[in-house]
Amino acid sequence: MDITRFIHILLLTSERAWALAMYMKSTHAADSNAQGTTGSTKRHIVSKLQKASKHAAHLVNLLQDTEKTKAPTESILEARAYQQSLQGAIKFEKKAWEQCLQSYSETRLLYIALARSVGNKQDDVFKDLLARTIDPSLRYAAHQLKLPRTISIEMIVTRYIQRDNNRYVTEVSESNPDLLQESGEAAKKNAQGESADTPETITWRSRTVKLEDATTAQALASVAATGTKLASFLDTNPDADRRAKAAAFDDVLISSQDAVDAVKTAIDELTAEGVTQGDPRMQSLQITRTAVNYNLVEWRVGRNRVLCGAQDGATFESQSVKQPKKPRADGKPRVAHQESTGRRLTRLKERVVLYDSTLQSLDSVKGFPGVAADQAFINELDTKKAYFSSLR
């Protein structure tokens, strides 16, 4: 049998078993009459996950025979990360929280190392796996072990990952030594691997609160890093095209959205634990939520202003029509043509869309926690809305 086909069979068989386990779990969770997962259902789910893990382990062993498979190091590490994620899922279902942390910690380490090695080719895939599955599972298992929320996920990985007789962890840590630094330097790395100072507090209007959620603090550090990068680009490229300037906002918008998501996740976790709105931790998170959401709105409005052009689009000059570089056949110079009326109307419509987006963003701010009671801030928002409405 062709070795490639055998690899595909192992992977598909493992995925089929995992998919069946997740189907049973989701179906049972959707049943409003279900009183928790029953013993037989739980055993069936674990059995399918064990079957998936077994096939994944065979896949790892097969890929290690590089003379036959010609598998690159990245493929072996990805297969190992996949197998360990299945082991983590098994321990999660069994409520073996420490072992769950050990398996998912290795999975996270390997996926981050892979994301660095492949660059932008599969970077989004690995980030999605971390955000949707690995990190929430690590955080939940840590909560079950009564670990404080101030401990970052990076520090959890550093403490619980199994280093002894683990060739995969050894290989990755040798090529990426910062990933397992106990000192916490790894926690100061943003998604791009750049150094970033993690803030301890956040200020909204006259209120300053402590950041007790490590994930939120790291997300805000990433926002600060990407914001500095954007400011540097705009300062060093004042003559850049407005679309190029607007594209430079992408990183800071993404990191700001990550911060918003991190705060929402922290609030949801506390709510699931039965923490009331009057609890100081919840109040601090609500203030943080307003601050990060407004920060995201500011970046969106800033991007729209750049796209509108000089003076926020208060002036509207005609654009010259680009002339073909090839000379005319008769040798006469080409006559410059004015921009057509249709093209001018199209640009005006685009600008109106940007103004509408800005006004909608400002309107959304009034729904943030605590904003409605701040009349001075409401007046400030109304002034900004009046300004952009007049431009529109």
Side-chain angles (χ1 to χ4, degrees), residues 38 41 62 97 107 137 151 182 190 199 211 240 285 300 333 338 344 346 358 366 378:
T38 61
T41 304
L62 180 61
W97 302 119
T107 302
S137 299
I151 298 179
E182 183 68 37
N190 60 20
L211 292 171
L285 280 173
R300 286 175 176 169
Q338 292 294 325
R344 286 170 61 85
T346 299
T358 298
K366 294 182 179 180
I378 292 293

Side-chain angles (χ1 to χ4, degrees), residues 376-390:
F377 186 55
I378 292 293
N379 294 338
E380 182 181 327
L381 287 174
D382 289 339
T383 301
K384 292 178 179 179
K385 283 183 59 182
Y387 171 70
F388 287 105
S389 295
S390 64

Side-chain angles (χ1 to χ4, degrees), residues 48 83 111 116 171 192 251 253 299 348-349 381:
K48 291 301 178 183
Q83 189 263 333
Y111 276 143
R116 289 187 181 184
E171 182 177 341
Q192 290 74 34
D251 286 343
L253 285 171
W299 288 122
L348 279 171
K349 290 178 181 179
L381 287 174

Side-chain angles (χ1 to χ4, degrees), residues 116-389:
R116 289 187 181 184
S117 65
V118 301
N120 294 326
K121 292 184 294 182
Q122 287 182 284
D123 189 42
D124 291 341
V125 175
F126 293 127
K127 286 183 179 179
D128 186 66
L129 283 169
L130 293 177
R132 291 179 177 272
T133 306
I134 309 303
D135 287 357
S137 299
L138 280 169
R139 184 60 72 187
Y140 186 84
H143 170 68
Q144 295 299 319
L145 289 174
K146 308 299 182 184
L147 298 181
R149 292 181 58 83
T150 52
I151 298 179
S152 68
I153 288 181
E154 283 78 6
M155 291 303 296
I156 292 173
V157 170
T158 301
R159 294 183 185 183
Y160 283 90
I161 197 166
Q162 296 297 292
R163 297 178 175 85
D164 298 337
N165 301 320
N166 193 327
R167 52 171 291 192
Y168 308 99
V169 173
T170 301
E171 182 177 341
V172 167
S173 60
E174 287 177 353
S175 57
N176 299 273
D178 62 299
L179 290 180
L180 288 177
Q181 288 180 353
E182 183 68 37
S183 64
E185 288 298 317
K188 295 183 179 181
K189 299 285 181 176
N190 60 20
Q192 290 74 34
E194 300 168 342
S195 180
D197 293 328
T198 305
E200 296 181 355
T201 61
I202 187 172
T203 300
W204 168 249
R205 307 289 283 173
S206 60
R207 300 278 307 270
T208 298
V209 297
K210 185 178 180 181
L211 292 171
E212 298 183 356
D213 182 65
T215 305
T216 300
Q218 289 174 265
L220 288 172
S222 181
V223 173
T226 52
T228 301
K229 183 179 177 181
L230 171 63
S232 176
F233 174 82
L234 296 177
D235 288 341
T236 55
N237 298 275
D239 299 326
D241 178 75
R242 58 190 176 90
R243 296 193 180 277
K245 291 181 178 179
F249 278 77
D250 288 349
D251 286 343
V252 72
L253 285 171
I254 292 172
S255 58
S256 296
Q257 184 62 58
D258 289 342
V260 170
D261 294 341
V263 177
K264 183 180 183 302
T265 299
I267 292 174
D268 291 343
E269 289 176 353
L270 286 182
T271 302
E273 295 170 17
V275 178
T276 63
Q277 292 295 323
D279 188 281
R281 292 173 296 169
M282 187 68 80
Q283 291 180 353
S284 294
L285 280 173
Q286 293 292 359
I287 293 172
T288 304
R289 183 180 187 179
T290 298
V292 296
N293 273 282
Y294 184 68
N295 188 45
L296 176 59
V297 167
E298 285 186 314
W299 288 122
R300 286 175 176 169
V301 172
R303 183 177 182 274
N304 289 347
R305 295 177 69 182
V306 167
L307 286 171
C308 286
Q311 300 178 14
D312 294 330
T315 58
F316 189 77
E317 300 87 2
S318 296
Q319 291 182 343
S320 59
V321 179
K322 291 184 179 180
Q323 300 293 333
K325 295 182 179 180
K326 186 177 180 180
R328 289 178 48 162
D330 57 8
K332 294 181 180 180
R334 294 186 179 276
V335 179
H337 295 285
Q338 292 294 325
E339 184 181 21
S340 67
T341 302
R343 175 56 185 160
R344 286 170 61 85
L345 288 173
T346 299
R347 290 201 297 122
L348 279 171
K349 290 178 181 179
E350 291 174 352
R351 190 165 297 183
V352 168
V353 170
L354 291 172
Y355 289 139
D356 287 340
S357 174
T358 298
L359 292 170
Q360 289 174 4
S361 295
L362 292 174
D363 269 334
S364 69
V365 175
K366 294 182 179 180
F368 297 164
V371 170
D374 191 342
Q375 189 57 49
F377 186 55
I378 292 293
N379 294 338
E380 182 181 327
L381 287 174
D382 289 339
T383 301
K384 292 178 179 179
K385 283 183 59 182
Y387 171 70
F388 287 105
S389 295

